[in-house]
Amino acid sequence: MRIATTIFLTDETITPVRLARELEERGFAGLYLPEHTHIPVERLSPYPPGGELPRQYGRTLDPFVALGQMAAVTESLCLGTGITLVAQHDPIDLAKQSATLDHLSGGRFTLGVGYGWNREEAADHGVEWSTRRELVRDRMALMRALWAEKPTAYEGPFGSVRASEAHPKPVRNGAPRVLLGGAAGPKLFAAVAEYADGWLPIGGGGLTDSLPQLRRAWEEAGRAPDDLEIVPYAVLPSPGKLTHYADLGIEEIVLQLPSADETAVLKALDEFAPYV
């Protein structure tokens, strides 16, 4: 089982370069970074786990800039977003950023895709909350047109692009690896089967019940069963939990690191060492 990590990197935490070097030297498989462009102070959206929104949400580094630094100082560490708020991006720009990072890292990039939870943040980007899922679907299709080997036009309900020269191309199969995050359910599983390579379930709970549903949706969409990737995300590990994941056929998990300074993060990596 591949053991990756995730962390809220901020202007107050361990630096991207220091963390990337430590992860690769210690044998971790990868690192995923979250994204928030800003957190409006006057908030109506509740923090999904409950309670006060942690400080780090309003201080996150841009994941693409941070991952670019990390790619430059590593050779094997896989690099991903967990997740990119696709609805808040211009899809032409995001297609270029993703393909460039994948190209420069030698195909090590995973585009984690999510719909978001913070209505105020999305609204400042001009996102209509009720249609954000359809918007993400449309933007993913537009990006795939730009990633295609030959110039390919796309006309969708929210955007379009002319047949264009758009390089570099992602290293593998015409697109970087795409994992879709979100809560289990028919809508989410239909989207995973349509335009992703797999699912990023936050916390990894309830998989015994939900995985058969996802696998059924995947196969009904004509996808090869062995191609489906399940990557439990932001997991707090225990030997029993990892054994359970292995029994479910899961090959990668993402452990949650504290959003903290170098000393605290390195201590956490020491504690995770038995799982690597």
Side-chain angles (χ1 to χ4, degrees):
M1 183 178 289
R2 302 188 303 277
I3 306 298
T5 61
T6 183
I7 183 175
F8 278 83
L9 282 180
T10 77
D11 56 328
E12 299 176 328
T13 66
I14 187 171
T15 67
V17 167
R18 180 81 166 104
L19 178 57
R21 286 172 168 158
E22 286 288 339
L23 289 171
E24 187 158 84
E25 289 173 4
R26 293 165 182 256
F28 285 88
L31 175 72
Y32 295 76
L33 296 181
E35 174 184 55
H36 285 283
T37 53
H38 67 300
I39 300 294
V41 174
E42 187 176 356
R43 292 179 44 247
L44 300 176
S45 302
Y47 178 44
E52 291 297 316
L53 184 68
R55 174 183 175 85
Q56 60 263 26
Y57 276 75
R59 307 188 74 95
T60 54
L61 302 183
D62 180 283
F64 288 90
V65 175
L67 291 169
Q69 277 198 330
M70 294 169 144
V73 298
T74 57
E75 295 183 357
S76 61
L77 187 72
C78 292
L79 305 164
T81 56
I83 50 73
T84 297
L85 296 165
V86 170
Q88 297 179 187
H89 285 264
D90 178 294
I92 298 174
D93 287 342
L94 184 57
K96 174 69 78 171
Q97 286 176 291
S98 300
T100 299
L101 184 51
D102 194 58
H103 169 74
L104 293 177
S105 67
R108 291 186 278 148
F109 178 59
T110 293
L111 179 64
V113 172
Y115 302 119
W117 60 268
N118 192 320
R119 290 173 180 246
E120 294 76 54
E121 178 184 0
D124 284 349
H125 286 277
V127 176
E128 178 65 40
W129 192 251
S130 64
T131 60
R132 73 193 189 286
R133 290 176 179 267
E134 293 79 8
L135 177 60
V136 168
R137 177 180 181 271
D138 186 64
R139 289 188 169 169
M140 290 301 301
L142 190 155
M143 289 194 290
R144 287 187 182 275
L146 290 169
W147 292 332
E149 188 62 33
K150 296 181 180 180
T152 302
Y154 176 77
E155 181 74 36
F158 296 94
S160 63
V161 68
R162 297 173 176 83
S164 304
E165 293 291 346
H167 295 267
K169 300 297 184 184
V171 172
R172 53 158 242 160
N173 299 327
R177 180 187 188 221
V178 173
L179 298 176
L180 181 59
K187 287 185 178 179
L188 188 281
F189 291 162
V192 171
E194 180 183 358
Y195 61 80
D197 298 301
W199 180 33
L200 274 176
I202 304 297
L207 291 179
T208 301
D209 294 330
S210 58
L211 284 189
Q213 302 169 43
L214 173 55
R215 288 180 172 132
R216 184 164 53 252
W218 183 266
E219 293 180 31
E220 287 174 354
R223 307 289 296 271
D226 291 343
D227 290 345
L228 176 61
E229 299 186 52
I230 312 296
V231 184
Y233 189 80
V235 171
L236 299 177
S238 68
K241 190 179 293 186
L242 268 63
T243 298
H244 173 60
Y245 291 153
D247 290 342
L248 292 174
I250 289 169
E251 298 179 350
E252 179 184 359
I253 66 166
V254 183
L255 306 184
Q256 181 68 64
L257 289 169
S259 180
D261 62 19
E262 183 173 309
T263 299
V265 171
L266 295 184
K267 180 181 178 182
L269 291 178
D270 290 339
E271 294 170 354
F272 289 167
Y275 303 109
V276 178

